[in-house]
Amino acid sequence: MEQLLLLLLPKGRLSVHRVQLRLLPIVAAISAFLNNTPVVVIFAPIIKRWAESVRLPSTKFLIPLSYATILGGMCTLIGTSTNLVVDGMVMDAGYQGFTMFELGKVGIFIAIAGIIYMLLFSHWLLPDSRTVEQTTELSSKDSRYFRVDVVLGARFPAIGKNIFDFDFKRKYGATILELRRNGESFLMHDMRKVSYREGDTLVLLADEEFLTNWGDSSFFLMVSSNRGVVNTLSRAKRWVAVVLVALMVLGATVGELPAVRSAFPKVHLDMFFFASVVTIVMAWLQIFPARKYTKFISWDILITIASAFAISKAMMNSGVAEAIAAIAIRLTDNFGPYVLLAFIFIVTDCFTELMTNNAAAALTFPISLSIAQQLGVSPMPFFVTICMAASSSFSTPIGYQTNLIVQGVGGYRFADFVRVGLPLNIISFLISVFLIPIFWPF
């Protein structure tokens, strides 16, 4: 991905519009098949360094980068963990789950409209610059030390603690130079009353040992140095990894075809099957080291998914979902399922801006199922609406990890996300409510 990005970025200075036109469609296509967070983690620092080198404001590219990954994730079953969560709850409720590209019937239209919107309007809506590098001149004479930017994740052990109450240097072997939050910059002498928060960006003076020990730690959403990424894999193994991922997606897509299912009735040739095969082959070829076999598993996402199932089941069994559904139906009188579809989108979208998208989907899924059952209509339009709405996290930086990452890297303020993201939420809402009933009739 790093090599692809370097090819996409122009060698000379181009207009912001033309650079976005080269980047955003490719980023969206990539994130349809890969986790959004690592795409942003790899691309954001490179784009920022490139923008500074050609004297363009990086603020014009980083929020669009995050939004493009979100839009791409809407288009496939594996584009975001939320789609997998909803798919699991759909099958648990006794319905047939989504195929690999089924959600793309609507997701692709939202993605295209969203990219066009950013190409046309983001240049005016985004700030020209956020100059927060007021302290990043490194005075160390030791060449072993260099600048590293890290974005704090929810699992960072000092979240909520005062900065001076947690010995960061002793724990991680790096010195804090600066803390950035919501477009503001705090120097060490300004931090006496500051506590760590999720999404904070720390500018560190660190060495290679820090990158080795903490470069892929779950404590940090992003670890980026001005030295770039060093590839430890051979060129052949890198190409093998790319081919294996492509074969995984192709295999899962073909395995869902009716002819293939009838030919192999006793074997479930689904995404889990092919992902397992690819993982085993990658381990056998030593594409990733044995000591990291379990490190690449997103345990927090798996726990969230399990919790989502539990929340959904509890709401169904307790009657809470049925009661909320009855109230919603009464409030809309005789307007029918279309208004309720809009209601589900708005509620899910509001939840996803304030909490994780998986939790938002878990809360609204049982309500949607109860609404469909009480109306006597197909629940599939409601399920697809949840997928689209839960991913439409554009208006706040706290609703999606990639937004938090680019907020710190670009020095954005909360209002920047509202100004650019709210129209994108409205675009997603209108397209979803109009198209979903066409592809999945009530």
Side-chain angles (χ1 to χ4, degrees), residues 3 36 64 69 90 155 164 337 362 365 391 407 410:
Q3 296 302 314
N36 298 347
T69 63
V90 167
R155 298 180 65 183
F164 286 94
F365 181 87
S391 291
Q407 183 190 31

Side-chain angles (χ1 to χ4, degrees), residues 339-374:
V339 173
L340 289 166
L341 197 72
F343 166 78
I344 289 296
F345 188 102
I346 293 170
V347 171
T348 307
D349 196 38
C350 289
F351 281 160
T352 199
E353 297 290 4
L354 302 173
M355 61 181 76
T356 67
N357 44 1
N358 290 329
L363 288 172
T364 54
F365 181 87
I367 299 173
S368 300
L369 182 58
S370 293
I371 287 175
Q373 290 174 341
Q374 292 182 38

Side-chain angles (χ1 to χ4, degrees), residues 113-325:
I115 290 173
I116 292 174
Y117 158 75
M118 287 190 286
L119 291 174
L120 294 177
F121 300 105
S122 66
H123 180 73
W124 291 277
L125 295 173
L126 288 167
D128 285 329
S129 64
R130 283 280 188 266
T131 307
V132 293
E133 292 96 352
Q134 54 182 316
T135 68
T136 53
E137 294 184 15
L138 306 182
S139 58
S140 174
K141 296 180 181 179
D142 193 335
S143 60
R144 294 178 303 166
Y145 293 92
F146 47 90
R147 169 182 156 173
V148 176
D149 293 0
V150 300
V151 179
L152 303 184
R155 298 180 65 183
F156 180 66
I159 293 293
K161 293 183 180 180
N162 184 276
I163 289 180
F164 286 94
D165 292 339
F166 183 80
D167 194 341
F168 191 96
K169 183 173 177 60
R170 182 179 179 183
K171 176 71 175 176
Y172 300 104
T175 302
I176 299 177
L177 300 176
E178 182 182 353
L179 181 145
R180 299 173 187 165
R181 175 187 299 162
N182 199 24
E184 296 183 68
S185 177
F186 300 89
L187 309 184
M188 280 304 294
H189 60 267
D190 298 326
M191 298 183 191
R192 298 199 176 275
K193 295 183 180 180
V194 177
S195 299
Y196 291 108
R197 293 183 190 171
E198 181 184 359
D200 284 349
T201 297
L202 302 182
V203 179
L204 308 175
L205 185 64
D207 56 12
E208 290 290 349
E209 188 175 351
F210 176 84
L211 295 179
T212 302
N213 294 334
W214 305 104
D216 55 3
S217 170
S218 58
F219 295 160
F220 307 116
L221 298 180
M222 185 192 77
V223 176
S224 169
S225 74
N226 53 12
R227 297 192 176 186
V229 178
V230 178
N231 276 306
T232 56
L233 281 181
S234 66
R235 184 181 180 87
K237 284 189 175 181
R238 276 181 269 161
W239 276 109
V240 168
V242 172
V243 171
L244 285 173
V245 172
L247 289 176
M248 178 186 76
V249 174
L250 179 63
T253 305
V254 173
E256 293 165 346
L257 298 176
V260 177
R261 285 184 176 181
S262 60
F264 303 95
K266 295 183 179 181
V267 182
H268 295 287
L269 298 175
D270 54 9
M271 175 54 66
F272 178 76
F273 174 85
F274 287 100
S276 300
V277 171
V278 167
T279 303
I280 292 170
V281 173
M282 283 187 172
W284 175 57
L285 295 176
Q286 297 182 341
I287 290 178
F288 51 85
R291 64 185 178 85
K292 292 187 176 181
Y293 279 179
T294 59
K295 198 162 190 175
F296 295 121
I297 299 174
S298 300
W299 298 108
D300 51 343
I301 292 180
L302 292 179
I303 292 171
T304 302
I305 291 173
S307 302
F309 280 104
I311 293 170
S312 180
K313 188 67 71 176
M315 291 181 69
M316 293 294 292
N317 293 343
S318 64
V320 171
E322 187 176 348
I324 296 175

Side-chain angles (χ1 to χ4, degrees), residues 19-61:
V19 176
Q20 287 182 347
L21 184 60
R22 295 177 69 160
L23 283 178
L24 299 186
I26 301 298
V27 169
I30 292 172
S31 65
F33 302 100
L34 299 177
N35 193 311
N36 298 347
T37 301
V39 173
V40 172
V41 165
I42 292 171
F43 283 10
I46 300 175
I47 290 174
K48 183 177 182 181
R49 288 196 296 269
W50 170 84
E52 290 171 351
S53 70
V54 297
R55 297 186 179 181
L56 287 174
S58 60
T59 48
K60 300 293 187 183
F61 305 106

